[in-house]
Amino acid sequence: MRLTDQELAARKRRNLWIAGGLVAFMVLVFLTTFLRMQRNMEDARALRQAGVAGAVAEAPR
């Protein structure tokens, strides 16, 4: 079975849209992961600083 030029062009457009959707999904997953990791690192840093500040404030003089 031979495809016509129109069918080949339609297949190519469809494949490009699928590839574009896949790339967009990958970017979305990457950005979501990156932003969540960044927020978690900031929270951990704040907890460490609060823990150190609390330990210093509670230390006997």
Side-chain angles (χ1 to χ4, degrees), residues 13 33 35 41 43 48:
R13 276 194 309 274
T33 302
L35 292 174
M41 288 175 20
D43 290 347
R48 279 195 305 273

Side-chain angles (χ1 to χ4, degrees), residues 24-58:
F25 177 73
M26 290 168 47
V27 168
L28 179 67
V29 169
F30 172 78
L31 287 176
T32 302
T33 302
F34 178 77
L35 292 174
R36 287 180 59 111
M37 285 176 53
Q38 187 177 19
R39 186 178 56 186
N40 288 340
M41 288 175 20
E42 290 171 359
D43 290 347
R45 188 178 308 117
L47 284 175
R48 279 195 305 273
Q49 289 176 350
V52 170
V56 171
E58 296 174 5

